[in-house]
Amino acid sequence: MRKLTLAIAVIVPMLGHAASAEDSLKIGYIDPLSGGGASVGEGGLKTFQYLADELNVKGGILGHKIEIVPLDNKTNPQESLVQAQKAIDAGVHYITQGNGSSVGAALSDFVTKNNSRNPGKEVLYFNYAAVDPSLTNEKCSYWHFRWDASSDIKMEALTNYMKDTASIKKVYLINQDYSFGQSVRTDARKMLGAKRPDIQIVGDELHPLLKVTDFSPYIAKIKASGADSVVTGNWGQDFALLLKAAADAGLKVNWYTYYAGGAGGPTAIKQTGLDGQVFQITEGFANSGNKAAMDYEKAFRAKVNLSLWYPRAVNEMRMFKAAAEKANSIDPVKVAAALEDLKFDVLDGGQGIMRKDDHQFLQPIYISSFGKLTESEPFDEESTGWGWHLVSRIDTPQAMVSTTCKMARP
């Protein structure tokens, strides 16, 4: 009996340790799953679920299976805070979000305050697509990490390409009326003015976010302005419907965009007949030419039946695993410390670094154009028969802007 008691005393702690190792590691996915942003939100959810499955097959993160917890924020900052609190109450210590910088700012502030009030119960916010520069400048937070390039980094690269395109004479700016759209218009004006002062800004329009159902009045203004090029940060239905209205009106201009590859965008471009006239800046794309990334794209499409819109989400989850292994812990405080200045080989090739000063991931970025495919380009988009072509690659050292972040550290 005494031997049995001793055996149980030894076994019980071991069982407890095994159970702990197998506990799920929950990641709260806070993005629109209803309303005007639902198409991009659903695509992001499927992406993160795929990434979780991929890591779980290999043992998860330090033996913890990853569970993606979907939380619908309807692209609304206040609703996002409700969902974030719900996640925390359910034991979530990591949240990820991307669609809407106004949401991103609200979540960053919420997490920062939560962590100061609840030491030992910290939460990290992993940002995969909210690109307002303020999030890594005046509003920076130790508890926020961004894997997408900020909008000023993207505009710096985009205007470097545009300045050498002599045919650009008149540019129209049209953007969504919230923090991100406002930063796109501000950066475009400033950078084009400095690099190509001869270019005329012939229109500058802001419209409500995900509320416009008919863009024909806006297209009529663009047409009347005589613009040869449009710069827009529009995403989701605001891009697809904008291009649809352009097709209906027969508007043939060049488009310089951030998110033309999102849901509905490629179909609208094909319908407009803009072969080689729509440009996008991203951290990767399907026909990038990188074999490992293209193999990944093929496997992803076969299982998810979607294009990989977010290579940065792949980088985010892989770096999360690397940081946890470096820290030998899934404690958010230790993972945050391990992420700082972490160098990482990104999906589409080359090395990136999570800059310690502001928690902005710096990485190679690409300019691509959309049109008819060549024999070396296997991936079309939305069954259009058209796909993305490489125009320019900007390596990490050239894909940087300075930061004004004065980070308060725990």
Side-chain angles (χ1 to χ4, degrees):
M1 190 67 184
R2 186 181 175 188
K3 288 181 181 178
L4 179 60
T5 303
L6 287 172
I8 291 171
V10 171
I11 291 169
V12 168
M14 290 174 62
L15 289 174
H17 178 76
S20 173
E22 291 172 3
D23 287 346
S24 65
L25 197 172
K26 297 178 180 179
I27 300 175
Y29 174 83
I30 302 177
D31 255 326
L33 301 174
S34 62
S39 58
V40 289
E42 289 285 357
L45 175 59
K46 290 177 182 178
T47 300
F48 277 97
Q49 287 172 332
Y50 178 90
L51 294 169
D53 290 345
E54 180 183 51
L55 289 175
N56 287 340
V57 167
K58 299 174 183 177
I61 295 179
L62 295 178
H64 298 266
K65 291 294 182 74
I66 301 162
E67 178 186 348
I68 304 299
V69 181
L71 298 156
D72 180 15
N73 69 357
K74 305 175 179 65
T75 328
N76 180 281
Q78 274 307 118
E79 182 63 27
S80 298
L81 302 189
V82 172
Q83 297 301 328
Q85 187 60 59
K86 186 186 295 185
I88 292 170
D89 291 344
V92 171
H93 291 281
Y94 294 89
I95 61 173
T96 193
Q97 176 270 344
N99 295 292
S101 288
S102 56
V103 171
L107 285 174
S108 182
D109 182 61
F110 174 85
V111 166
T112 302
K113 289 176 179 176
N114 173 83
N115 292 355
S116 68
R117 294 166 182 163
N118 300 284
K121 298 180 180 179
E122 289 83 2
V123 175
L124 289 190
Y125 164 32
F126 289 168
N127 174 357
Y128 73 93
V131 297
D132 184 347
S134 69
L135 289 167
T136 46
N137 285 292
E138 66 271 19
K139 294 180 181 177
C140 67
S141 167
Y142 181 81
W143 309 105
H144 162 265
F145 292 84
R146 176 161 58 199
W147 272 267
D148 199 358
S150 61
S151 68
D152 53 348
I153 291 175
K154 292 184 178 186
M155 188 59 74
E156 180 74 23
L158 203 55
T159 51
N160 280 343
Y161 175 77
M162 293 175 71
K163 74 180 172 61
D164 295 326
T165 306
S167 60
I168 300 176
K169 304 292 185 185
K170 296 181 178 182
V171 171
Y172 200 103
L173 309 177
I174 181 166
N175 289 284
Q176 297 152 318
D177 191 8
Y178 75 112
S179 57
F180 162 63
Q182 293 158 11
S183 72
V184 172
R185 78 188 301 207
T186 300
D187 290 337
R189 277 188 169 278
K190 179 178 70 176
M191 294 179 189
L192 284 174
K195 298 170 187 179
R196 279 284 304 275
D198 60 303
I199 290 178
Q200 291 180 264
I201 304 295
V202 295
D204 188 351
E205 195 92 40
L206 290 173
H207 64 80
L209 173 66
L210 301 174
K211 296 284 177 61
V212 179
T213 56
D214 180 10
F215 278 92
S216 56
Y218 297 96
I219 293 297
K221 290 182 184 179
I222 297 172
K223 208 168 184 179
S225 73
D228 54 62
S229 302
V230 175
V231 173
T232 181
N234 279 23
W235 53 271
Q237 71 175 29
D238 282 344
F239 182 79
L241 292 176
L242 181 64
L243 262 287
K244 181 181 182 300
D248 293 342
L251 177 66
K252 298 285 186 180
V253 297
N254 289 332
W255 296 78
Y256 295 91
T257 81
Y258 283 37
Y259 300 118
T267 298
I269 298 168
K270 174 70 179 293
Q271 289 173 345
T272 316
L274 296 174
D275 186 1
Q277 290 182 258
V278 177
F279 300 84
Q280 177 178 244
I281 186 155
T282 59
E283 77 289 353
F285 66 101
N287 294 314
S288 68
N290 179 280
K291 185 180 185 306
M294 292 174 76
D295 288 346
Y296 194 93
E297 180 82 29
K298 183 178 180 180
F300 181 86
R301 290 187 180 208
K303 185 168 183 180
V304 182
N305 198 31
L306 269 180
S307 304
L308 180 62
W309 298 336
Y310 306 117
R312 53 192 175 271
V314 181
N315 298 332
E316 174 188 317
M317 292 294 282
R318 289 179 174 181
M319 284 185 72
F320 181 16
K321 184 176 190 293
E325 290 176 347
K326 178 182 174 184
N328 194 29
S329 174
I330 59 167
D331 180 337
V333 177
K334 294 178 181 179
V335 170
L339 277 169
E340 291 197 318
D341 278 344
L342 182 64
K343 294 179 179 178
F344 197 79
D345 292 330
V346 298
L347 177 65
D348 280 81
Q351 191 173 77
I353 182 171
M354 181 59 75
R355 186 163 60 185
K356 181 177 181 178
D357 293 346
D358 58 353
H359 295 181
Q360 170 66 59
F361 189 54
L362 303 168
Q363 61 198 306
I365 51 179
Y366 298 82
I367 297 174
S368 54
S369 67
F370 193 73
K372 296 171 185 173
L373 292 167
T374 66
E375 289 184 5
S376 63
E377 296 167 327
F379 299 113
D380 81 332
E381 302 295 333
E382 298 181 348
S383 301
T384 59
W386 285 15
W388 293 100
H389 317 282
L390 177 64
V391 171
S392 177
R393 171 182 157 130
I394 301 95
D395 285 322
T396 304
Q398 286 75 48
M400 295 185 184
V401 296
S402 59
T403 179
T404 60
C405 173
K406 293 180 172 56
M407 187 175 289
R409 296 178 175 276

